Amino acid sequence: MMCSFSSLAEFASLRAKIFNEFREVPPQAASELFVALNEAVNNALFHGNGGDAGRSVLLRIARSATAVVVSVKDEGGGFDYRSRLAACRGKGLPAAGRSLPETGRGLDIICGCVDRVEFNGPGNEIVLIKEIGRGKRRGAGR
Amino acid sequence: MKQDFRVEDGTVVVKLSGSMYVEDAAVLRERLLEFSGKDYSRFVIDMSLVDYIDSSGLGVLVAIQKRALQKSGEVTIAGLQGIVRELFELTRLNKVFTVRE
């Protein structure tokens, strides 16, 4: 499926339809994928497009025999995903310490919920790959 | 998402049910900050009927925990299950809150 939206309200009205796209995916994998997709969309709407309703987010979902591939593209200028992804693939999340940030967990959650995360060059498109076939490994970079 | 608030012996007990998307997290944040502003520092969040949460919802719980700790209170999270439990463990926030079955 492919759809585009410009606001959280618009996206909210599409959530049930989107989740339904995962009806043939095993329930736990479907839940994880749905969490990662929502995180990616929130990032695209609020960070990528900066909450500007004049900009759209394009969401595409494709499925093969062994994987579901979700792509979320915004109209922002991208960001330095390389260092963030490296941190994601590193030791995992830091132990909960005294400094307890209220934000910044989105990409870590995405990495933990799908098998592979890729970005396009500028970083305004994220691709989430969730394997659903046999012998899949769990969690990106683990 | 349905959010029910009541106060029992000075503790704010919040019963959540449904999916906590970013828009629900904003509502919850406002209500919890209201209680925190009235000097409540002990919170129990019952999540046994919550089937979805993401970083926005987790951020709200962290925000209220920080305020509670400043006033020598705490946030207890009850009834984690399924994907919600999985995300608390993934982000290690299960070590930040008192988690009750």
Side-chain angles (χ1 to χ4, degrees):
Chain A
M1 81 173 278
M2 185 162 86
C3 59
S4 80
F5 41 86
S6 302
S7 67
L8 182 62
E10 245 182 279
F11 172 64
S13 70
L14 294 168
R15 280 199 194 105
K17 191 178 158 200
I18 291 165
F19 191 69
N20 195 40
E21 284 289 309
F22 304 146
R23 62 193 177 279
E24 287 168 21
V25 175
Q28 186 177 344
S31 294
E32 290 169 348
L33 191 51
F34 191 59
V35 168
L37 182 154
N38 271 278
E39 293 284 2
V41 167
N42 292 346
N43 283 345
L45 284 169
F46 299 114
H47 300 302
N49 286 350
D52 179 355
R55 292 173 166 185
S56 297
V57 173
L58 179 65
L59 170 71
R60 282 174 292 192
I61 301 171
R63 190 183 159 176
S64 72
T66 55
V68 180
V69 179
V70 174
S71 146
V72 180
K73 186 174 188 178
D74 61 58
E75 294 186 317
F79 73 110
D80 178 18
Y81 56 88
R82 289 174 189 87
S83 55
R84 280 295 282 111
L85 263 189
C88 234
R89 287 170 178 154
K91 293 174 289 187
L93 294 184
R98 230 174 246 196
S99 86
L100 197 51
E102 292 173 26
T103 58
R105 291 182 180 82
L107 193 54
D108 297 308
I109 287 177
I110 289 174
C111 288
C113 283
V114 297
D115 294 290
R116 242 170 46 237
V117 178
E118 294 170 1
F119 283 90
N120 67 349
N124 69 340
E125 180 176 16
I126 185 170
V127 180
L128 316 173
I129 297 142
K130 183 81 174 169
E131 292 167 14
I132 50 175
R134 290 192 320 159
K136 76 175 190 74
R137 65 192 177 88
R138 196 174 157 272
R142 282 195 216 163
Chain B
M1 143 161 283
K2 205 166 157 232
Q3 306 182 359
D4 288 322
F5 300 80
R6 63 178 199 277
V7 177
E8 273 176 24
D9 299 330
T11 296
V12 179
V13 180
V14 186
K15 174 94 180 166
L16 303 174
S17 46
S19 304
M20 199 194 315
Y21 293 113
V22 60
E23 59 269 27
D24 307 288
V27 174
L28 180 64
R29 182 186 180 88
E30 206 168 300
R31 290 297 308 273
L32 288 178
L33 288 180
E34 227 172 84
F35 280 106
S36 179
K38 288 179 189 160
D39 270 352
Y40 287 98
S41 64
R42 304 189 72 80
F43 297 83
V44 175
I45 317 286
D46 182 346
M47 304 196 67
S48 53
L49 298 178
V50 177
D51 59 12
Y52 176 94
I53 193 167
D54 57 31
S55 60
S56 59
L58 294 172
V60 169
L61 299 176
V62 167
I64 209 67
Q65 169 75 327
K66 284 166 80 169
R67 283 161 181 77
L69 290 176
Q70 280 165 10
K71 296 175 189 167
S72 306
E74 65 168 355
V75 175
T76 299
I77 306 288
L80 290 177
Q81 40 83 33
I83 185 78
V84 178
R85 171 180 287 277
E86 203 180 306
L87 291 177
F88 268 82
E89 289 169 359
L90 175 70
T91 54
R92 302 190 190 175
L93 288 176
N94 55 330
K95 309 284 183 206
V96 167
F97 300 98
T98 302
V99 174
R100 207 169 69 194
E101 292 304 312

